[in-house]
mmCIF file of all heavy atoms in Angstrom:
data_model
loop_
_atom_site.group_PDB
_atom_site.id
_atom_site.type_symbol
_atom_site.label_atom_id
_atom_site.label_comp_id
_atom_site.label_asym_id
_atom_site.label_seq_id
_atom_site.Cartn_x
_atom_site.Cartn_y
_atom_site.Cartn_z
ATOM 1 N N ALA U 1 61.533 195.252 137.677
ATOM 2 C CA ALA U 1 62.193 193.968 137.385
ATOM 3 C C ALA U 1 63.008 193.481 138.580
ATOM 4 O O ALA U 1 63.577 194.306 139.326
ATOM 5 C CB ALA U 1 63.118 194.084 136.147
ATOM 6 N N ASP U 2 63.054 192.194 138.783
ATOM 7 C CA ASP U 2 63.783 191.579 139.887
ATOM 8 C C ASP U 2 65.155 191.103 139.366
ATOM 9 O O ASP U 2 65.225 190.129 138.609
ATOM 10 C CB ASP U 2 62.998 190.374 140.428
ATOM 11 C CG ASP U 2 63.597 189.737 141.664
ATOM 12 O OD1 ASP U 2 64.442 190.429 142.272
ATOM 13 O OD2 ASP U 2 63.273 188.613 142.003
ATOM 14 N N LEU U 3 66.200 191.804 139.763
ATOM 15 C CA LEU U 3 67.575 191.444 139.399
ATOM 16 C C LEU U 3 68.282 190.964 140.627
ATOM 17 O O LEU U 3 68.430 191.745 141.619
ATOM 18 C CB LEU U 3 68.313 192.631 138.750
ATOM 19 C CG LEU U 3 68.034 192.886 137.252
ATOM 20 C CD1 LEU U 3 66.598 193.248 136.992
ATOM 21 C CD2 LEU U 3 68.946 194.008 136.747
ATOM 22 N N ALA U 4 68.735 189.731 140.624
ATOM 23 C CA ALA U 4 69.271 189.096 141.843
ATOM 24 C C ALA U 4 70.513 188.275 141.526
ATOM 25 O O ALA U 4 70.738 187.851 140.384
ATOM 26 C CB ALA U 4 68.233 188.198 142.484
ATOM 27 N N ILE U 5 71.318 188.083 142.555
ATOM 28 C CA ILE U 5 72.553 187.311 142.408
ATOM 29 C C ILE U 5 72.769 186.455 143.640
ATOM 30 O O ILE U 5 72.449 186.847 144.756
ATOM 31 C CB ILE U 5 73.784 188.229 142.195
ATOM 32 C CG1 ILE U 5 75.039 187.403 141.914
ATOM 33 C CG2 ILE U 5 73.987 189.160 143.379
ATOM 34 C CD1 ILE U 5 76.226 188.226 141.468
ATOM 35 N N GLU U 6 73.261 185.230 143.419
ATOM 36 C CA GLU U 6 73.713 184.367 144.527
ATOM 37 C C GLU U 6 75.164 184.702 144.807
ATOM 38 O O GLU U 6 75.982 184.791 143.878
ATOM 39 C CB GLU U 6 73.569 182.901 144.156
ATOM 40 C CG GLU U 6 72.134 182.459 143.984
ATOM 41 C CD GLU U 6 72.019 180.959 143.636
ATOM 42 O OE1 GLU U 6 73.005 180.238 143.886
ATOM 43 O OE2 GLU U 6 70.992 180.595 143.085
ATOM 44 N N ALA U 7 75.504 184.845 146.063
ATOM 45 C CA ALA U 7 76.865 185.319 146.425
ATOM 46 C C ALA U 7 77.438 184.460 147.563
ATOM 47 O O ALA U 7 76.692 184.036 148.456
ATOM 48 C CB ALA U 7 76.832 186.782 146.814
ATOM 49 N N ASP U 8 78.735 184.267 147.506
ATOM 50 C CA ASP U 8 79.468 183.638 148.600
ATOM 51 C C ASP U 8 80.022 184.756 149.458
ATOM 52 O O ASP U 8 80.851 185.572 148.960
ATOM 53 C CB ASP U 8 80.588 182.785 148.009
ATOM 54 C CG ASP U 8 81.362 182.024 149.068
ATOM 55 O OD1 ASP U 8 81.319 182.403 150.241
ATOM 56 O OD2 ASP U 8 82.024 181.009 148.712
ATOM 57 N N PRO U 9 79.628 184.875 150.712
ATOM 58 C CA PRO U 9 80.082 186.003 151.546
ATOM 59 C C PRO U 9 81.584 186.007 151.720
ATOM 60 O O PRO U 9 82.174 187.083 152.029
ATOM 61 C CB PRO U 9 79.377 185.796 152.880
ATOM 62 C CG PRO U 9 78.954 184.365 152.876
ATOM 63 C CD PRO U 9 78.711 183.994 151.440
ATOM 64 N N ARG U 10 82.250 184.886 151.486
ATOM 65 C CA ARG U 10 83.720 184.830 151.671
ATOM 66 C C ARG U 10 84.481 185.583 150.571
ATOM 67 O O ARG U 10 85.632 185.925 150.746
ATOM 68 C CB ARG U 10 84.171 183.372 151.750
ATOM 69 C CG ARG U 10 83.563 182.571 152.886
ATOM 70 C CD ARG U 10 83.925 181.117 152.776
ATOM 71 N NE ARG U 10 83.402 180.500 151.532
ATOM 72 C CZ ARG U 10 83.629 179.239 151.182
ATOM 73 N NH1 ARG U 10 84.353 178.483 151.917
ATOM 74 N NH2 ARG U 10 83.117 178.798 150.064
ATOM 75 N N ASN U 11 83.832 185.733 149.407
ATOM 76 C CA ASN U 11 84.585 186.392 148.286
ATOM 77 C C ASN U 11 83.764 187.445 147.582
ATOM 78 O O ASN U 11 84.014 187.769 146.430
ATOM 79 C CB ASN U 11 85.044 185.306 147.286
ATOM 80 C CG ASN U 11 83.906 184.580 146.613
ATOM 81 O OD1 ASN U 11 82.756 185.010 146.643
ATOM 82 N ND2 ASN U 11 84.238 183.446 145.982
ATOM 83 N N THR U 12 82.791 188.011 148.321
ATOM 84 C CA THR U 12 82.004 189.119 147.736
ATOM 85 C C THR U 12 82.536 190.456 148.217
ATOM 86 O O THR U 12 82.669 190.671 149.442
ATOM 87 C CB THR U 12 80.506 188.982 148.155
ATOM 88 O OG1 THR U 12 80.029 187.724 147.688
ATOM 89 C CG2 THR U 12 79.665 190.110 147.533
ATOM 90 N N THR U 13 82.916 191.309 147.291
ATOM 91 C CA THR U 13 83.534 192.569 147.644
ATOM 92 C C THR U 13 82.554 193.746 147.420
ATOM 93 O O THR U 13 81.557 193.634 146.689
ATOM 94 C CB THR U 13 84.769 192.866 146.761
ATOM 95 O OG1 THR U 13 84.358 193.022 145.384
ATOM 96 C CG2 THR U 13 85.750 191.659 146.857
ATOM 97 N N ARG U 14 82.861 194.855 148.078
ATOM 98 C CA ARG U 14 82.033 196.059 147.872
ATOM 99 C C ARG U 14 82.107 196.531 146.412
ATOM 100 O O ARG U 14 81.115 197.031 145.905
ATOM 101 C CB ARG U 14 82.515 197.165 148.817
ATOM 102 C CG ARG U 14 81.571 198.353 148.838
ATOM 103 C CD ARG U 14 82.093 199.445 149.809
ATOM 104 N NE ARG U 14 81.152 200.570 149.835
ATOM 105 C CZ ARG U 14 80.146 200.726 150.681
ATOM 106 N NH1 ARG U 14 79.897 199.739 151.549
ATOM 107 N NH2 ARG U 14 79.355 201.787 150.631
ATOM 108 N N GLU U 15 83.267 196.349 145.767
ATOM 109 C CA GLU U 15 83.401 196.720 144.364
ATOM 110 C C GLU U 15 82.444 195.922 143.474
ATOM 111 O O GLU U 15 81.778 196.483 142.594
ATOM 112 C CB GLU U 15 84.824 196.486 143.888
ATOM 113 C CG GLU U 15 85.089 196.980 142.485
ATOM 114 C CD GLU U 15 86.518 196.692 142.026
ATOM 115 O OE1 GLU U 15 87.253 195.956 142.733
ATOM 116 O OE2 GLU U 15 86.888 197.158 140.928
ATOM 117 N N GLN U 16 82.306 194.619 143.742
ATOM 118 C CA GLN U 16 81.344 193.804 143.006
ATOM 119 C C GLN U 16 79.934 194.270 143.244
ATOM 120 O O GLN U 16 79.098 194.395 142.321
ATOM 121 C CB GLN U 16 81.453 192.354 143.382
ATOM 122 C CG GLN U 16 82.764 191.675 142.914
ATOM 123 C CD GLN U 16 82.885 190.313 143.568
ATOM 124 O OE1 GLN U 16 82.705 190.146 144.772
ATOM 125 N NE2 GLN U 16 83.287 189.330 142.753
ATOM 126 N N LEU U 17 79.595 194.554 144.521
ATOM 127 C CA LEU U 17 78.244 195.012 144.839
ATOM 128 C C LEU U 17 77.929 196.351 144.172
ATOM 129 O O LEU U 17 76.786 196.563 143.734
ATOM 130 C CB LEU U 17 78.104 195.119 146.380
ATOM 131 C CG LEU U 17 78.194 193.831 147.173
ATOM 132 C CD1 LEU U 17 78.226 194.097 148.652
ATOM 133 C CD2 LEU U 17 77.036 192.919 146.806
ATOM 134 N N ALA U 18 78.913 197.218 144.078
ATOM 135 C CA ALA U 18 78.676 198.508 143.405
ATOM 136 C C ALA U 18 78.379 198.298 141.938
ATOM 137 O O ALA U 18 77.547 199.008 141.362
ATOM 138 C CB ALA U 18 79.922 199.402 143.611
ATOM 139 N N VAL U 19 79.087 197.349 141.297
ATOM 140 C CA VAL U 19 78.787 197.024 139.891
ATOM 141 C C VAL U 19 77.359 196.534 139.750
ATOM 142 O O VAL U 19 76.615 196.992 138.859
ATOM 143 C CB VAL U 19 79.800 195.971 139.369
ATOM 144 C CG1 VAL U 19 79.327 195.400 138.012
ATOM 145 C CG2 VAL U 19 81.192 196.568 139.244
ATOM 146 N N LEU U 20 76.959 195.637 140.627
ATOM 147 C CA LEU U 20 75.596 195.114 140.582
ATOM 148 C C LEU U 20 74.549 196.174 140.727
ATOM 149 O O LEU U 20 73.572 196.285 139.997
ATOM 150 C CB LEU U 20 75.451 194.028 141.667
ATOM 151 C CG LEU U 20 76.260 192.767 141.512
ATOM 152 C CD1 LEU U 20 76.269 191.944 142.788
ATOM 153 C CD2 LEU U 20 75.745 191.913 140.322
ATOM 154 N N ARG U 21 74.766 197.069 141.714
ATOM 155 C CA ARG U 21 73.749 198.117 141.962
ATOM 156 C C ARG U 21 73.697 199.088 140.790
ATOM 157 O O ARG U 21 72.618 199.546 140.404
ATOM 158 C CB ARG U 21 74.136 198.863 143.240
ATOM 159 C CG ARG U 21 73.084 199.915 143.645
ATOM 160 C CD ARG U 21 71.723 199.270 143.830
ATOM 161 N NE ARG U 21 70.636 200.246 143.841
ATOM 162 C CZ ARG U 21 69.413 200.042 143.409
ATOM 163 N NH1 ARG U 21 69.106 198.847 142.888
ATOM 164 N NH2 ARG U 21 68.516 200.982 143.517
ATOM 165 N N ARG U 22 74.843 199.357 140.182
ATOM 166 C CA ARG U 22 74.866 200.279 139.031
ATOM 167 C C ARG U 22 74.030 199.713 137.871
ATOM 168 O O ARG U 22 73.461 200.460 137.078
ATOM 169 C CB ARG U 22 76.301 200.517 138.572
ATOM 170 C CG ARG U 22 76.440 201.616 137.491
ATOM 171 C CD ARG U 22 77.855 202.061 137.315
ATOM 172 N NE ARG U 22 78.697 201.042 136.807
ATOM 173 C CZ ARG U 22 79.690 200.405 137.505
ATOM 174 N NH1 ARG U 22 79.896 200.719 138.791
ATOM 175 N NH2 ARG U 22 80.466 199.498 136.953
ATOM 176 N N HIS U 23 73.915 198.405 137.801
ATOM 177 C CA HIS U 23 73.139 197.759 136.755
ATOM 178 C C HIS U 23 71.687 197.499 137.183
ATOM 179 O O HIS U 23 70.954 196.838 136.457
ATOM 180 C CB HIS U 23 73.803 196.465 136.310
ATOM 181 C CG HIS U 23 75.037 196.666 135.462
ATOM 182 N ND1 HIS U 23 74.989 197.033 134.142
ATOM 183 C CD2 HIS U 23 76.347 196.561 135.777
ATOM 184 C CE1 HIS U 23 76.206 197.142 133.664
ATOM 185 N NE2 HIS U 23 77.050 196.860 134.651
ATOM 186 N N GLY U 24 71.306 197.991 138.347
ATOM 187 C CA GLY U 24 69.920 197.849 138.777
ATOM 188 C C GLY U 24 69.588 196.658 139.681
ATOM 189 O O GLY U 24 68.413 196.389 139.914
ATOM 190 N N PHE U 25 70.606 195.958 140.172
ATOM 191 C CA PHE U 25 70.305 194.763 141.008
ATOM 192 C C PHE U 25 69.701 195.241 142.307
ATOM 193 O O PHE U 25 70.114 196.227 142.922
ATOM 194 C CB PHE U 25 71.601 193.972 141.263
ATOM 195 C CG PHE U 25 71.858 192.999 140.170
ATOM 196 C CD1 PHE U 25 72.211 193.415 138.893
ATOM 197 C CD2 PHE U 25 71.795 191.639 140.410
ATOM 198 C CE1 PHE U 25 72.458 192.479 137.891
ATOM 199 C CE2 PHE U 25 72.034 190.696 139.416
ATOM 200 C CZ PHE U 25 72.357 191.147 138.146
#
């Protein structure tokens, strides 16, 4: 499955990315 997100680099944190990856993004 393709799980994707649009992100603003100015307010994207490593903590958010870790949440996304944990859910399979």
